[in-house]
Amino acid sequence: MSDNVYKVIELVGSSAKGSDEAIQQAIAKAGTSLHNLDWFEVVETRGHIVEGKIGHYQVKIKVGFRLD
């Protein structure tokens, strides 16, 4: 096993479809400008209520990526 150093950032993804998609959207967007993404951790889940129903989900995640 090699020794790695990681940088950790926080992201918030959102989706009208669900929390899983909110996570996927955040990671996909991060992947367009960052590389070596290795792991994520869900920190917080919340949402927006519209007329008594869920309008959209927001999920705060920590994402770790290996430094070169």
Side-chain angles (χ1 to χ4, degrees):
M1 181 175 195
S2 60
D3 296 326
N4 294 312
V5 175
Y6 293 88
K7 170 92 175 150
V8 178
I9 60 171
E10 282 191 341
L11 303 170
V12 177
S14 70
S15 170
K17 295 182 181 177
S19 57
D20 285 350
E21 182 162 310
I23 294 167
Q24 291 175 14
Q25 296 223 26
I27 291 171
K29 183 67 174 179
T32 63
S33 59
L34 300 171
H35 60 282
N36 298 328
L37 299 177
D38 272 353
W39 56 268
F40 75 93
E41 172 187 357
V42 175
V43 177
E44 183 177 327
T45 303
R46 62 181 175 264
H48 182 229
I49 299 171
V50 178
E51 297 179 4
K53 296 182 181 180
I54 297 172
H56 69 274
Y57 299 82
Q58 292 181 329
V59 180
K60 182 190 292 185
I61 61 174
K62 289 184 180 180
V63 177
F65 58 95
R66 279 177 284 114
L67 299 176
D68 291 331

